[in-house]
Amino acid sequence: MGKKKPDMSQVYSNSKNEFIFGENGGKGKHLSSFLKNLSLTSSTTPSTSSSVTSASNSIGSSGTNHGDYNDINSTIYGSLSYGRRTTPNQRSVSVGSTFSHANPNIAPSNERSSTSPYSNNHGTGSSLLLKGTHRRSHSTTRYADNDDDWDAGFEEVMAKMGNSPNLQPSPVVDSMYPDLMIPLSGTEGRSRSSSPQYKSRASKESLDDEDYQMKLEITKLNQLNTKYAKFTKVLTSDNNLNLNELRKLSWNGIPNELRAIAWQILLGYLPTNKTRQGSTLKRKRQEYVEGISGITTIDFDEDSSNNGGTGTSANNSSVSLANNNRDKQIYHQINIDVKRTHPTIKLYSNGEIQTSLRKILYLWAVRHPASGYVQGINDLVTPFFQIFLSHYIWQLQRTKYSEHENSLQEDSQLFIPGLLDTENNDEKEQVLLNDPKLMTYTLDNIPTNLISSRVYAIIEADTYWCLSRLLENITDNYIHQQPGIIRQVGDLRNLISKIDLELLNHLESEGVEFIQFSFRWMNCLLMRELSMPLIIRMWDTYLSEVPLGFNNFHVYVCAAFLIKFSSDLKERDFQEILLFLQSPPTTYWKEKDIELMLSEAFIWQSLYKNASAHLK
């Protein structure tokens, strides 16, 4: 005789847990669902009465309180297993099965072991639904859980589900752009590729290398436009330029179009007061022209072998002859160096350009007799000349473009004054303005024979005065015995001893002296080690330093440059070290490499500047 079924309200009242699903409570449906089902059990519907009666009979045969509660819950919530150790047939679960009339005296056979224990033994599949419940369809998928693990029959289930055409692999989410989904190839592509909606979405959401590179390019252009706008605001917003603000912006690089005017302002050659700029440049340029005109012993258009002849009767004296011989020697050395200046850059192999460089260097040498011309100065003149010539080309292009856009007034505020001929008397300049290829001209392909002597004279004058301003800061590098360079080399060694003592010890153990490789770094400002675009970018930062960074800050840059190759140098011997440093592997360096090196130099300068005791 079975035990009397306990009242469901007693089951709930004896538990402190609002989730009633077992003898001592546990995970289950919420209280509201429990009370709803409780009210259904007290219904007089024949089907429910039969179900409860059947459950009661089952309880009587089990003989345990634990089984009582399990069968009660099974009656209310469905035919599920609640932890009893039964045979596999008894513990089979029918997903989505409904309650029906059952004969408890008929045990399910092996053929029907996959059905609910409360199924009709006649197998009609019909049932009476409980009042207030929804109709559920029968499912053929069943989980034969032969142990306590939920996934005992996982392989069988997956084999059955694998035939379903609705299963699709999840798309791949791109980590950088999570809104763009990259679908996996295979089943998904075959099943969805025919959908027009899918094709449209895939074309919009696909991400490949070209899209990524284009996005990077757009980002770079936006950054350049933002930088250009900031410089334009500083250069045009006020009659007196804010020099501190210009220095702050220039430290991180100057736009190519505005670099010429920014350099002239940073060097102090071009006044910050706009009303004085035109008159100052006119006076300086005229002074340069007069200086070149006063040189009568040198013919800059002829080879050095034809120069140094007796030009006047004064040359008959011994003093004049000695001066003439000295000038001849200076010009001869300048001529040799100019011919081998930047041999890989096409611009400097042009005859007109070489003539301009000889004029600039010779005039500076005769006006600075304390130092005279020193090899290496020929390298320092080229960035200025190149930048100013490029600015002239840009002015021509903007003037041509402004004829259609009516924006010349805005652009003219960013022009170096006096470079263009406003009176239209320069015939060669007019030819360039009417040249259909003007907008494609660069330093590499512009016809230098179409640049007039007037323009050459202006570019030479601006280059000469800017070079003079630069060399004023490093005069000690070029006077007798070059004490400035000796000091810089010593500072570099002391700095390396604080940054990378292991590298210093290795160099000394191999017998390598700093003067053997860093003398050229100080004399030519790393122009033999880096490409011209990288040098120009580095000079943006040098010119924004106060004082100019060609002296002290350059030592920290050289330290950062040497540390870049520390690991390679530590594995080499004396000869290999010198060969490596004479031709360092910087061919593939980009602007970001220079900016990183400048940032490291700035950090070290912040640590050791005005703390010379740390470097001793």
Side-chain angles (χ1 to χ4, degrees):
M1 189 71 181
K3 295 175 62 177
K4 182 180 178 180
K5 180 176 69 175
D7 184 69
M8 298 306 297
S9 60
Q10 295 177 358
V11 174
Y12 171 70
S13 61
N14 292 333
S15 175
K16 297 181 179 180
N17 195 331
E18 64 176 353
F19 295 91
I20 307 303
F21 208 121
E23 182 177 3
N24 298 321
K27 293 183 179 180
K29 292 192 175 182
H30 195 267
L31 177 62
S32 60
S33 299
F34 174 78
L35 294 179
K36 178 180 179 181
N37 286 290
L38 180 63
S39 63
L40 294 176
T41 58
S42 59
S43 175
T44 59
T45 304
S47 60
T48 57
S49 300
S50 175
S51 299
V52 173
T53 304
S54 176
S56 176
N57 294 334
S58 299
I59 294 171
S61 61
S62 63
T64 62
N65 292 333
H66 185 67
D68 297 346
Y69 290 112
N70 287 338
D71 287 340
I72 293 171
N73 286 331
S74 176
T75 303
I76 297 173
Y77 293 107
S79 60
L80 299 173
S81 174
Y82 296 96
R84 285 186 299 172
R85 297 282 182 177
T86 61
T87 64
N89 289 340
Q90 290 175 321
R91 295 179 67 245
S92 299
V93 180
S94 177
V95 180
S97 61
T98 57
F99 297 115
S100 61
H101 295 286
N103 188 347
N105 298 323
I106 300 177
S109 63
N110 292 336
E111 294 179 354
R112 301 186 58 85
S113 61
S114 60
T115 60
S116 171
Y118 301 101
S119 299
N120 192 315
N121 61 323
H122 297 290
T124 60
S126 61
S127 61
L128 292 176
L129 298 178
L130 294 175
K131 182 179 180 180
T133 62
H134 297 283
R135 182 181 301 274
R136 298 178 182 177
S137 61
H138 289 278
S139 174
T140 59
T141 304
R142 293 174 175 81
Y143 301 83
D145 193 1
N146 296 324
D147 52 22
D148 290 339
D149 297 333
W150 68 273
D151 59 345
F154 186 73
E155 292 81 1
E156 180 183 355
V157 174
M158 291 304 298
K160 294 180 180 180
M161 296 179 63
N163 298 326
S164 176
N166 296 326
L167 296 178
Q168 305 293 346
S170 300
V172 176
V173 182
D174 188 83
S175 59
M176 183 172 293
Y177 304 99
D179 57 324
L180 301 178
M181 311 287 284
I182 305 177
L184 294 174
S185 59
T187 305
E188 183 179 16
R190 292 192 299 269
S191 62
R192 300 179 59 187
S193 59
S194 60
S195 172
Q197 182 179 1
Y198 172 75
K199 290 182 178 180
S200 176
R201 183 176 180 181
S203 63
K204 294 180 181 179
E205 296 180 350
S206 62
L207 181 66
D208 54 16
D209 292 339
E210 293 182 1
D211 296 332
Y212 179 70
Q213 293 298 330
M214 183 178 295
K215 187 177 289 290
L216 291 180
E217 187 67 21
I218 292 174
T219 302
K220 182 178 179 180
L221 291 176
N222 289 336
Q223 292 174 348
L224 291 177
N225 289 335
T226 302
K227 179 183 290 187
Y228 185 90
K230 291 180 179 179
F231 274 89
T232 301
K233 182 179 179 180
V234 172
L235 295 173
T236 61
S237 61
D238 196 1
N239 191 43
N240 290 311
L241 301 179
N242 189 335
L243 187 58
N244 292 330
E245 185 66 22
L246 181 61
R247 287 194 179 110
K248 181 179 179 181
L249 292 175
S250 300
W251 207 98
N252 295 316
I254 305 173
N256 295 332
E257 302 84 355
L258 307 179
R259 181 172 281 118
I261 188 171
W263 278 19
Q264 291 188 4
I265 295 173
L266 293 172
L267 283 166
Y269 172 57
L270 188 65
T272 56
N273 190 325
K274 294 181 181 180
T275 59
R276 296 176 51 240
Q277 290 180 350
S279 59
T280 300
L281 292 180
K282 183 177 181 180
R283 175 172 53 84
K284 288 289 187 179
R285 290 164 180 169
Q286 183 61 32
E287 185 177 342
Y288 170 81
V289 172
E290 292 175 356
I292 293 295
S293 300
I295 300 173
T296 59
T297 59
I298 301 295
D299 185 358
F300 295 104
D301 296 327
E302 297 289 338
D303 190 79
S304 61
S305 61
N306 298 327
N307 286 289
T310 58
T312 62
S313 59
N315 290 332
N316 295 328
S317 65
S318 59
V319 176
S320 298
L321 184 60
N323 291 336
N324 187 37
N325 291 335
R326 186 195 59 160
D327 294 345
K328 179 180 178 180
Q329 292 175 357
I330 294 175
Y331 184 78
H332 176 71
Q333 185 61 54
I334 291 174
N335 189 48
I336 292 175
D337 291 346
V338 166
K339 288 184 177 181
R340 58 190 184 189
T341 298
H342 297 298
T344 59
I345 301 179
K346 180 181 178 181
L347 178 68
Y348 297 106
S349 63
N350 184 275
E352 290 86 352
I353 304 299
Q354 290 183 356
T355 298
S356 295
L357 296 182
R358 288 195 293 265
K359 290 180 180 179
I360 297 168
L361 294 172
Y362 183 79
L363 182 60
W364 189 89
V366 298
R367 287 194 172 185
H368 298 81
S371 61
Y373 172 76
V374 178
Q375 285 181 303
I377 299 180
N378 61 304
D379 291 321
L380 304 184
V381 74
T382 53
F384 294 116
F385 191 91
Q386 183 170 324
I387 290 302
F388 298 153
L389 178 58
S390 178
H391 184 75
Y392 172 68
I393 299 173
W394 178 70
Q395 286 196 20
L396 292 174
Q397 293 172 342
R398 293 303 301 174
T399 301
K400 183 70 174 180
Y401 177 79
S402 300
E403 293 178 358
H404 306 284
E405 299 294 331
N406 298 322
S407 59
L408 182 60
Q409 183 65 28
E410 179 181 352
D411 291 336
S412 62
Q413 299 183 56
L414 303 174
F415 290 174
I416 293 178
L419 194 53
L420 293 179
D421 180 23
T422 57
E423 298 178 359
N424 299 329
N425 294 328
D426 193 334
E427 296 179 359
K428 290 188 176 182
E429 186 173 291
Q430 294 302 314
V431 173
L432 282 174
L433 287 173
N434 296 323
D435 192 339
K437 298 180 180 179
L438 174 61
M439 304 305 291
T440 63
Y441 283 155
T442 63
L443 291 174
D444 297 329
N445 61 6
I446 187 171
T448 55
N449 61 318
L450 293 181
I451 300 177
S452 65
S453 57
R454 179 192 68 85
V455 175
Y456 274 125
I458 293 175
I459 294 176
E460 291 169 12
D462 292 348
T463 301
Y464 169 81
W465 291 113
C466 289
L467 176 67
S468 300
R469 293 297 181 107
L470 185 156
L471 294 177
E472 287 176 1
N473 292 268
I474 53 176
T475 303
D476 291 346
N477 289 13
Y478 303 105
I479 62 177
H480 181 60
Q481 296 184 347
Q482 298 179 287
I485 293 180
I486 302 302
R487 176 188 56 80
Q488 288 180 312
V489 171
D491 290 345
L492 175 62
R493 182 192 178 282
N494 294 332
L495 187 59
I496 296 299
S497 68
K498 303 302 179 184
I499 299 173
D500 194 341
L501 182 59
E502 183 180 354
L503 174 60
L504 177 63
N505 293 335
H506 177 72
L507 294 177
E508 291 182 344
S509 65
E510 294 294 332
V512 178
E513 298 290 341
F514 274 73
I515 196 70
Q516 294 174 311
F517 62 85
S518 62
F519 180 88
R520 191 175 72 177
W521 298 1
M522 309 304 174
N523 188 60
C524 302
L525 300 178
L526 291 175
M527 293 196 65
R528 306 285 179 88
E529 288 69 31
L530 300 173
S531 64
M532 180 62 75
L534 300 183
I535 288 294
I536 291 174
R537 169 61 189 92
M538 189 168 69
W539 282 24
D540 288 345
T541 300
Y542 281 15
L543 292 170
S544 65
E545 287 283 315
V546 180
L548 297 181
F550 298 95
N551 194 345
N552 295 326
F553 185 67
H554 180 66
V555 175
Y556 295 94
V557 173
C558 289
F561 183 72
L562 182 61
I563 295 299
K564 285 276 188 181
F565 312 109
S566 176
S567 58
D568 291 330
L569 295 174
K570 292 175 184 178
E571 299 176 356
R572 300 174 185 267
D573 58 18
F574 174 82
Q575 184 176 0
E576 292 174 338
I577 291 174
L578 292 182
L579 290 176
F580 181 89
L581 293 177
Q582 285 177 2
S583 182
T586 60
T587 304
Y588 299 102
W589 275 30
K590 303 296 183 181
E591 192 170 296
K592 63 180 181 181
D593 298 303
I594 291 296
E595 292 177 345
L596 178 60
M597 187 173 69
L598 292 171
S599 299
E600 293 174 351
F602 176 79
I603 293 174
W604 291 334
Q605 184 188 49
S606 302
L607 292 173
Y608 298 111
K609 185 179 180 180
N610 299 326
S612 57
H614 293 172
L615 299 178
K616 295 180 180 179

